[in-house]
Amino acid sequence: MAVIGIDIGSRSIERVVWDQATGAWTWDKVPTTFDPLTQCRKLLADADGCPVVATGYGRALVAEHFAELSVRTITEIQAYARGVHHLVPEARTVVDIGGQDTKVIALSPQGAVVKFEMNDRCAAGTGKFLEFMATSLQIPLDSFGDFALEADKQVAINSMCTVFAESEATSLMARGERPQNIAMALHRAIVRRTLAMLRRVGGESPVVFAGGVAHNRCVCRLLSEALGGDVIVPPDPDVLGALGAALAGAGP
Amino acid sequence: MTASHEAMWERLGLDLEAHASLLEVLGKFYGDIYLSQQGRLRGMEYLDFVLSEIHGLRIRELDEARAQGRKVVGTFCVFVPEEIVWAADAIQVGLCAGAEAGTEAAEKILPRNTCALIKSFVGFKLARLCPFTELCDMVVGETTCDGKKKAYETFSDYAPVYVMEIPQMKRSEDRALWKAEVLRFKQAVEDLTGRSITAENLREAIGLMNRRRRVLQRLNRLRAAHPVPISGRDALLINQVSFYDDPERFTQKIHDLCDELEEKVRRGKGVADGAVRVMLSGCPMAVPNWKLPYIVESSGAVVVGEESCIGTRNTRDLVDEGGTTLEEMLDAIVDRYLKIDCACFTPNQERLEHIVDMARALDVQGVIHYGLSFCQPYAMESFKVEKALRDAGIPMLAIETDYSMEDVEQLKTRVEAFVEMIR
């Protein structure tokens, strides 16, 4: 029998269908839009009878509106821990940078959560920050990381506040700084913030980098440089929450 | 209650319109958080009633007492020795500081990065929303933290403020300072009331306060049973109400409630089957600050203790009743209050020991440390608390927040993830 994991994030919704008999799984992804419920309906249209585990900031929405399905909820922290442990059993730390949250999770050798840190309140240091800055530099989000990797000089942006950082970027542009160098500075700011959270949970190796921002090659490279090359980025890093949710539905 | 009390509120100078909307919000909040609970104790009806008349009947009582010449003393801190106030036949009440009210007005005279509790008491006054504050003949401030210390200077432009100096260390010189402050306060209360504090009336007041502490100790013992017989929210409410209801009545009503609780424990009835037992530790939660307990208890956990000023920090130690002379009794009061392990002290090792002992005694699976944003003493100590608990094998989650609701979803995720982790 199949189990469905669904991760309702601020930017995208991922669904994983896990076959309990074979351990095979498939995934789908849709943008969250302003109407996440309709998007969830599309993803859960053929769910009849399957256990569903919802995670992400919209988890309660699913539990509330799909009473006909047996929906359980778990937090993103638990979901990412499970998903990562399944794909990379030796992982001891998970860095998950999503649309509006950054989480750093310390795992026991058995894959249990032993400690976690989450950014509070504002979107500083999250995918939202990158999205905002990419827009302000008029670079498509998907290629923002590659654009930053073309930097040839180190300039500093110190503020982690999205609004203040934009002012800093604007001043740099006004001084004629190359946009690639500004983009790199913005990426460094995110990584600096993430490293501070990593240190607070201990940050033992191996570190797995997941979440939507793990698609960004510049953040991956900077993180890996800072940690001495020890960062694993699984394929499809943004579906690990949905995978973990499905696994929670299948397992104990 | 509104219609019958409106004339009184108007006489007290409240902003009737704003006050009416505050009561409406409070009523809805109370309904969602409290009245929605299943299987509550009958004894909680007393608390529901007190809460529904929080600005009504209790204010009327105080108003009538004042008409007969009694004085009302308002406080913000468990350091103010209540025995002295009651001995002089004055009435002590803890003042409202648990709601986001009058914030805009408060931010005109306070920096924005001031803790929510300070902003709240200043805001309540400036926006004319708290009948307790308006009734006070004396408002006692104290020097527990820099924020409060400086806020009282400003606050004294608006209310009859008296400030006690709280020592920040516990050496013999500090005890001498504290004793001098207790004596100075005694004089101030005698001047206010025109009554002398004698061995006789002080003995009675010590008895009265100790009886109230004992009933809260009894509640704390009973709530720790397996399974947990009362929600943490209800127990917190009882502690909160202890600050402003009449102490005799409160003690009697809570003993009745504890009798019922005892019976429930005997029958093995719980309120939260399968919930994870947690303890809260840190900053006080004044009425109606039920935000975090509500989030915690909606996330598969149940709160079995509060290591806080509105919690065990206020009830753990009794005043020694062995004194016979006025001097001996005052010394007993000085010693009892100096045992308070507020984060304003340095060093404050005893707080760490109390937290670990309490977490063990309550058999909790984790501790949630609660800090109000910009409360530096508790924020600093949270690192030490986490380490002490880690050494004892007890996980801790540190939460820093204020009275606003904007971060509720994020807090839920963190608390739920913590519950998943310790389950």
Side-chain angles (χ1 to χ4, degrees), chain B residues 69-71 73 85 88-90 188-197:
Chain B
R70 292 181 77 187
K71 300 293 180 186
V73 176
V85 174
D89 199 34
V189 170
E190 286 177 332
D191 292 346
L192 178 76
T193 57
R195 285 166 163 268
S196 296
I197 290 168

Side-chain angles (χ1 to χ4, degrees), chain B residues 270-414:
Chain B
V271 289
D273 289 341
V276 168
R277 296 165 66 96
V278 298
M279 170 181 133
L280 300 179
S281 169
C283 288
M285 294 175 185
V287 175
N289 179 12
W290 305 304
K291 176 175 153 182
L292 186 61
Y294 182 52
I295 290 173
V296 170
E297 297 199 328
S298 310
S299 302
V302 60
V303 179
V304 293
E306 296 85 20
E307 187 277 328
S308 159
C309 294
I310 301 180
T312 54
R313 195 164 2 269
N314 187 40
T315 57
R316 183 179 51 230
D317 302 306
L318 301 176
V319 174
D320 186 275
E321 293 179 34
T324 50
T325 65
L326 181 62
E327 179 71 15
E328 285 168 351
M329 289 178 208
L330 287 167
D331 272 323
I333 288 171
V334 167
D335 289 334
R336 183 271 168 196
Y337 282 85
L338 211 50
K339 283 183 192 157
I340 295 172
D341 53 353
C342 172
C344 71
F345 284 98
T346 184
N348 196 26
Q349 186 62 29
E350 62 259 49
R351 174 165 177 244
L352 303 181
E353 287 158 13
H354 284 142
I355 292 171
V356 172
D357 289 351
M358 192 173 156
R360 284 195 176 127
L362 295 176
D363 190 22
V364 295
Q365 284 143 284
V367 172
I368 298 180
H369 194 273
Y370 169 72
L372 280 170
S373 306
F374 313 118
C375 175
Q376 207 177 28
Y378 279 96
M380 290 267 182
E381 283 200 356
S382 83
F383 291 88
K384 286 182 166 233
V385 173
E386 184 178 23
K387 182 173 184 307
L389 285 167
R390 196 187 326 127
D391 293 347
I394 302 163
M396 186 192 105
L397 172 70
I399 294 287
E400 202 176 281
T401 185
D402 55 24
Y403 299 163
S404 72
M405 292 295 149
E406 66 185 38
D407 60 345
V408 164
E409 288 304 319
Q410 280 171 325
L411 288 183
K412 268 187 195 160
T413 299
R414 292 160 82 151

Side-chain angles (χ1 to χ4, degrees), chain A:
Chain A
M1 179 156 142
V3 182
I4 294 176
I6 185 163
D7 181 357
I8 306 93
S10 63
R11 278 201 103 253
S12 60
I13 304 177
E14 293 87 17
R15 180 196 63 180
V16 162
V17 180
W18 168 272
D19 188 319
Q20 282 184 284
T22 64
W25 56 284
T26 55
W27 62 268
D28 275 290
K29 178 175 165 177
V30 298
T32 304
T33 75
F34 56 86
D35 184 9
L37 193 56
T38 302
Q39 299 295 75
C40 289
R41 284 213 175 91
K42 286 182 200 157
L43 290 176
L44 294 174
D46 50 2
D48 56 323
C50 301
V52 175
V53 178
T55 187
Y57 95 100
R59 63 192 180 281
L61 186 80
V62 174
E64 215 174 289
H65 286 88
F66 295 86
E68 72 281 8
L69 304 172
S70 77
V71 181
R72 229 180 86 198
T73 61
I74 62 171
T75 64
E76 304 90 289
I77 289 157
Q78 190 64 227
Y80 268 89
R82 281 192 178 244
V84 166
H85 181 69
H86 179 75
L87 291 186
V88 189
E90 68 275 20
R92 297 299 300 278
T93 305
V94 183
V95 175
D96 161 25
I97 310 183
Q100 63 178 10
D101 286 319
T102 296
K103 296 159 201 100
V104 179
I105 309 162
L107 299 179
S108 73
Q110 291 74 38
V113 177
V114 282
K115 199 171 174 190
F116 62 89
E117 281 283 335
M118 224 178 120
N119 65 312
D120 38 16
R121 287 188 194 216
C122 84
T126 68
K128 206 77 215 164
F129 176 84
L130 282 180
E131 192 179 348
F132 192 82
M133 294 307 165
T135 310
S136 114
L137 289 173
Q138 296 177 343
I139 307 295
L141 182 59
D142 292 345
S143 49
F144 195 38
D146 294 340
F147 181 72
L149 287 171
E150 291 165 20
D152 57 10
K153 186 175 124 202
Q154 197 160 328
V155 295
I157 285 187
N158 296 310
S159 183
M160 263 322 303
C161 165
T162 308
V163 178
F164 292 160
E166 195 196 16
S167 317
E168 281 192 65
T170 310
S171 320
L172 287 168
M173 279 185 257
R175 273 189 268 143
E177 190 54 71
R178 281 181 77 218
Q180 288 88 336
N181 295 344
I182 298 172
M184 177 55 99
L186 292 164
H187 281 75
R188 282 190 193 282
I190 279 223
V191 171
R192 208 165 43 236
R193 164 97 172 187
T194 307
L195 288 171
M197 290 171 73
L198 260 167
R199 278 191 286 273
R200 279 203 294 274
V201 303
E204 267 186 70
S205 300
V207 176
V208 170
F209 182 22
V213 175
H215 283 297
N216 180 307
R217 291 201 304 131
C218 184
V219 177
C220 289
R221 185 188 294 181
L222 292 173
L223 200 57
S224 149
E225 277 170 15
L227 297 175
D230 224 3
V231 176
I232 301 163
V233 183
D236 311 315
D238 43 353
V239 303
L240 268 59
L243 174 64
L247 290 165

Side-chain angles (χ1 to χ4, degrees), chain B residues 112-169:
Chain B
R112 225 152 42 84
N113 56 352
T114 302
C115 92
L117 192 139
I118 294 173
K119 265 189 211 168
S120 175
F121 77 70
V122 173
F124 266 109
K125 175 69 196 175
L126 296 184
R128 297 183 291 126
L129 288 169
C130 175
F132 287 96
T133 309
E134 302 309 321
L135 271 174
C136 282
D137 298 290
M138 181 197 250
V139 173
V140 188
E142 75 305 317
T143 60
T144 41
C145 70
D146 288 352
K148 281 176 125 187
K149 190 169 77 185
K150 300 309 284 185
Y152 293 129
E153 288 175 25
T154 310
F155 199 55
S156 63
D157 292 339
Y158 305 90
V161 173
Y162 173 94
V163 176
M164 293 188 83
E165 182 172 355
I166 310 295
Q168 315 267 283
M169 294 179 82

Side-chain angles (χ1 to χ4, degrees), chain B residues 28-250:
Chain B
K28 172 151 190 343
F29 203 42
Y30 192 75
D32 290 347
I33 294 179
Y34 278 94
L35 303 178
S36 63
Q37 297 179 91
Q38 302 294 313
R40 284 170 91 208
L41 300 165
R42 279 191 316 281
M44 287 309 293
E45 283 169 17
Y46 156 65
L47 283 309
D48 291 342
F49 181 70
V50 172
L51 240 280
S52 72
E53 287 289 343
I54 185 169
H55 283 185
L57 284 181
R58 181 61 182 145
I59 294 298
R60 196 165 290 281
E61 280 183 346
L62 297 179
D63 197 37
E64 282 162 10
R66 282 183 83 220
Q68 289 161 18
R70 292 181 77 187
K71 300 293 180 186
V72 176
V73 176
T75 61
F76 298 105
C77 176
V78 297
F79 249 104
V80 181
E82 288 191 69
E83 289 79 0
I84 288 176
V85 174
W86 293 100
D89 199 34
I91 299 170
Q92 181 161 327
V93 288
L95 293 176
C96 313
E100 206 175 27
T103 310
E104 279 170 34
E107 285 181 356
K108 277 187 202 151
I109 56 169
L110 293 174
R112 225 152 42 84
N113 56 352
T114 302
C115 92
L117 192 139
I118 294 173
K119 265 189 211 168
S120 175
F121 77 70
V122 173
F124 266 109
K125 175 69 196 175
L126 296 184
R128 297 183 291 126
L129 288 169
C130 175
F132 287 96
T133 309
E134 302 309 321
L135 271 174
C136 282
D137 298 290
M138 181 197 250
V139 173
V140 188
E142 75 305 317
T143 60
T144 41
C145 70
D146 288 352
K148 281 176 125 187
K149 190 169 77 185
K150 300 309 284 185
Y152 293 129
E153 288 175 25
T154 310
F155 199 55
S156 63
D157 292 339
Y158 305 90
V161 173
Y162 173 94
V163 176
M164 293 188 83
E165 182 172 355
I166 310 295
Q168 315 267 283
M169 294 179 82
K170 294 185 177 176
R171 304 158 306 180
S172 58
E173 297 88 332
D174 302 298
R175 187 190 180 281
L177 165 71
W178 176 234
K179 182 168 182 185
E181 281 298 290
V182 170
L183 294 178
R184 193 171 66 86
F185 181 59
K186 170 178 163 287
Q187 186 62 53
V189 170
E190 286 177 332
D191 292 346
L192 178 76
T193 57
R195 285 166 163 268
S196 296
I197 290 168
T198 62
E200 203 178 3
N201 59 32
L202 190 57
R203 180 181 306 111
E204 256 179 57
I206 289 173
L208 177 68
M209 291 298 103
N210 277 350
R211 284 198 298 283
R212 191 177 69 191
R213 292 182 187 116
R214 281 196 194 94
V215 76
L216 289 166
Q217 290 174 353
R218 184 181 174 207
L219 172 74
N220 281 336
R221 280 193 301 274
L222 288 166
R223 69 186 284 202
H226 293 264
V228 182
I230 180 171
S231 72
R233 271 168 283 171
D234 278 341
L236 173 64
L237 180 66
I238 295 170
N239 275 282
Q240 289 171 332
V241 164
S242 75
F243 283 86
Y244 59 84
D245 202 23
D246 176 72
E248 292 280 13
R249 174 172 55 212
F250 174 86

